[in-house]
Amino acid sequence: MNQYRGRFAPSPTGPLHFGSLVAAVGGYLEAKSRGGAWLVRMEDLDPPREQPGAADAILRTLEACGISWDGEIMYQSKRSAAYRAALTRLDAQDMVYPCACTRREIADSALGPDGALIYPGTCRDGLAPGKTPRATRVRVGDTVIEFEDAVQGKIRQDLAAEVGDFVLLRADGLYAYQLAAVVDDAEQGITDVVRGADLLDSTPRQIYLQRLLGLATPHYLHLPAAVNAGGEKLSKQTRAAPVGENDPVPELAQVMEFLGQAPPAELRRAPLAEFWRWALTHWDAKLIPQRRSLRAP
């Protein structure tokens, strides 16, 4: 498939905020400036974290901002059969195993680059007597993943040393983000992934799964993650303000500034259609700051 196919994959845990708008605008402009398609996928994989009505609110905000998507929206909550099939394929390769460890039991483990615990391999060679399987993990072996990110440059991760065998099926029976993202990117024919750099450390895990499953690896472009004055990523937990739907142009112009595109001051007062004409004409991914995070305005 030669045509560029990008995607925006928000989690419906709350309304669209500045940080998620950065990912939407950056991904949309990169796709459209290259004559490609831009799809939307709802990562509604974790019901306990979701907010009722948030998925519809996110779509409504995108529309209010003049951002339209191509094709049908994919909902991960309807994709369990596809994730199960991928897990079965990995099991046939002897690449996954049951794990009985609780979070408390591995609490003394070192932390990886993304702040997650590095799994020490306790159950890799079989469960201890009397232990009941809880989660399913994938074996990483001595794998080192390297890739070139379009903004962040060369990325290298030693999976065993920095991550350990990671979970694909959680103890609560829900499929893990890493597996779902890989399966869905392949299903949607995604050629290019544009998202926040808060997910940069997840990318080597996803490339590893793509290789195990014989799936194509997309190109990656990780935008700076928007953080607050305390350095925390904007999110529902950090009380990020929702994007205003009545007059979105000033905030859209702030997004362009955040992404290094230097919009003229008068663009903040321009009609929505004029904003997008300027944005599509002037978009240049080479101007995006090579930073993992930047403070939001």
Side-chain angles (χ1 to χ4, degrees):
M1 184 178 295
N2 295 320
Q3 189 198 24
Y4 183 109
R5 286 173 69 84
R7 48 75 158 179
F8 176 55
S11 298
T13 55
L16 204 71
H17 53 72
F18 183 85
S20 42
L21 186 61
V22 166
V25 170
Y28 177 78
L29 286 172
E30 184 67 3
K32 295 306 172 183
S33 67
R34 294 171 62 173
W38 187 75
L39 288 70
V40 169
R41 176 167 78 228
M42 280 294 164
E43 294 194 337
D44 54 345
L45 202 60
D46 195 346
R49 292 182 60 240
E50 288 160 29
Q51 186 180 92
D56 289 339
I58 288 169
L59 297 176
R60 188 174 62 247
T61 303
L62 289 176
E63 289 177 330
C65 288
I67 303 174
S68 57
W69 54 90
D70 297 295
E72 295 292 317
I73 296 167
M74 176 181 278
Y75 291 86
Q76 288 189 329
S77 56
K78 301 176 181 178
R79 300 272 299 150
S80 293
Y83 309 145
R84 190 180 310 117
L87 200 58
T88 299
R89 287 176 60 193
L90 294 172
D91 189 32
Q93 299 174 45
D94 194 29
M95 290 306 299
V96 296
Y97 62 88
C99 175
C101 297
T102 64
R103 188 170 179 83
R104 181 178 295 176
E105 287 172 327
I106 60 172
D108 293 336
S109 302
L111 295 179
D114 61 353
L117 294 166
I118 300 171
Y119 185 64
T122 310
C123 299
R124 187 180 297 134
D125 297 321
L127 301 182
K131 287 286 189 177
T132 303
R134 293 164 47 81
T136 300
R137 293 181 182 269
V138 63
R139 305 177 191 276
V140 300
D142 297 322
T143 306
V144 174
I145 299 290
E146 292 185 353
F147 70 99
E148 190 74 26
D149 186 81
V151 168
Q152 306 297 334
K154 187 172 218 177
I155 305 297
R156 182 183 188 277
Q157 190 178 89
D158 182 327
L159 291 181
E162 300 179 61
V163 179
D165 299 341
F166 55 95
V167 171
L168 299 184
L169 181 63
R170 296 173 8 181
D172 57 8
L174 298 176
Y175 289 95
Y177 162 73
Q178 309 295 358
L179 180 66
V182 164
V183 170
D184 292 343
D185 281 343
E187 174 70 21
Q188 292 186 297
I190 300 303
T191 63
D192 293 74
V193 172
V194 177
R195 59 189 178 189
D198 52 301
L199 291 169
L200 188 59
D201 292 318
S202 285
T203 306
R205 273 168 269 185
Q206 293 173 18
I207 292 173
Y208 178 63
L209 290 177
Q210 288 157 4
R211 292 176 182 176
L212 291 181
L213 292 166
L215 304 174
T217 294
H219 299 104
Y220 288 96
L221 189 161
H222 285 84
L223 307 165
V227 298
N228 61 20
E232 302 168 302
K233 189 189 95 162
L234 299 188
S235 66
K236 176 186 169 185
Q237 285 72 31
T238 57
R239 306 191 180 195
V243 173
E245 295 180 18
N246 293 332
D247 182 20
V249 171
E251 197 159 2
L252 288 167
Q254 285 182 323
V255 167
M256 294 296 283
E257 206 166 88
F258 180 90
L259 291 173
Q261 305 301 301
E266 58 269 22
L267 198 66
R268 292 171 184 256
R269 300 183 296 277
L272 190 59
E274 187 178 321
F275 166 83
W276 283 114
R277 274 195 298 274
W278 184 92
L280 285 162
T281 303
H282 292 84
W283 173 252
D284 185 354
K286 295 187 186 70
L287 298 176
I288 299 169
Q290 192 178 7
R291 298 274 301 278
R292 285 217 182 191
S293 65
L294 286 171
R295 184 172 172 181

